[in-house]
Amino acid sequence: MQNNKSKIYRITFLAVCATVALVLSYMETLLPPLVASVPGIKLGLPNIVIVFVLYRFGIRDAAAVSFIRLIAVVLLFGNIMMFAYSLAGAILSLVCMAVLKRIDILSMIGVSVAGAVSHNIGQVLVAMALLETAEIGYYMIALAISGTVSGIFVGIAGAYLTKKLLTKNINNC
């Protein structure tokens, strides 16, 4: 059982993670579009933090950080439609990554790629439901490619963070 000091440190560390993910979300809005002809493609910078938290602390804490970041981003920069798309993507991505991490068949980079692509699948499914058309599914081709590239980047960055931030203080969480 964790003592109170350890619990406070853990909560504080996770709050910092949520804040860093929020700042990365904002920074991502300042970047020019990655592919001008395909709207909505992003690097997924906040997911570096989510992958790190998933591997360091587990699915519950990763979900909490992801949800807190999502709520803050929607309140600060978004709208209800953005919330619907982002929530569907985040849930599907987290479930996919947690399952793959648990069965331990992929590296962190592979888990990150699967998470990025499943995030895109979640968003496309919501779009298909809201727009009542299956044709938007063709957009998944471009999103699968961009999700793979961004997932590799996020996985490498998450693995680097996990290796570098495994200090004595974090291990006491």
Side-chain angles (χ1 to χ4, degrees):
M1 192 79 169
Q2 293 179 324
N3 63 31
N4 283 340
K5 184 177 178 182
S6 181
K7 286 180 185 178
I8 291 169
Y9 184 85
R10 181 187 186 98
I11 291 169
T12 304
F13 188 82
L14 292 171
V16 169
C17 287
T19 304
V20 170
L22 176 61
V23 169
L24 290 172
S25 292
Y26 176 69
M27 288 174 51
E28 199 167 59
T29 66
L30 301 176
L31 297 174
L34 295 177
V35 181
S37 63
V38 185
I41 291 180
K42 298 178 184 176
L43 278 175
L45 296 176
N47 297 322
I48 297 168
V49 177
I50 304 307
V51 168
F52 166 74
V53 173
L54 175 66
Y55 272 82
R56 179 61 194 95
F57 296 102
I59 183 66
R60 286 176 56 202
D61 291 333
V65 168
S66 181
F67 188 71
I68 290 166
R69 180 204 64 90
L70 176 67
I71 294 295
V73 165
V74 168
L75 289 174
L76 293 171
F77 317 117
N79 56 49
I80 194 68
M81 294 308 294
M82 178 185 185
F83 180 73
Y85 288 110
S86 297
L87 183 63
I91 290 171
L92 192 56
S93 175
L94 275 170
V95 168
C96 177
M97 290 192 302
V99 167
L100 290 173
K101 177 186 175 279
R102 184 173 181 103
I103 60 177
D104 198 26
I105 61 171
L106 296 174
S107 69
M108 186 183 292
I109 296 167
V111 169
S112 175
V113 168
V117 172
S118 62
H119 187 278
N120 292 336
I121 291 169
Q123 290 183 318
V124 168
L125 290 174
V126 168
M128 289 169 72
L130 293 176
L131 300 174
E132 298 178 353
T133 180
E135 275 100 33
I136 200 157
Y138 291 112
Y139 192 48
M140 200 54 227
I141 297 166
L143 290 177
I145 294 167
S146 70
T148 299
V149 172
S150 67
I152 291 169
F153 169 76
V154 166
I156 290 169
Y160 178 80
L161 270 179
T162 301
K163 180 179 176 185
K164 290 296 180 183
L165 293 181
L166 287 179
T167 65
K168 184 179 181 204
N169 289 336
I170 295 173
N171 283 333
N172 289 334
C173 287

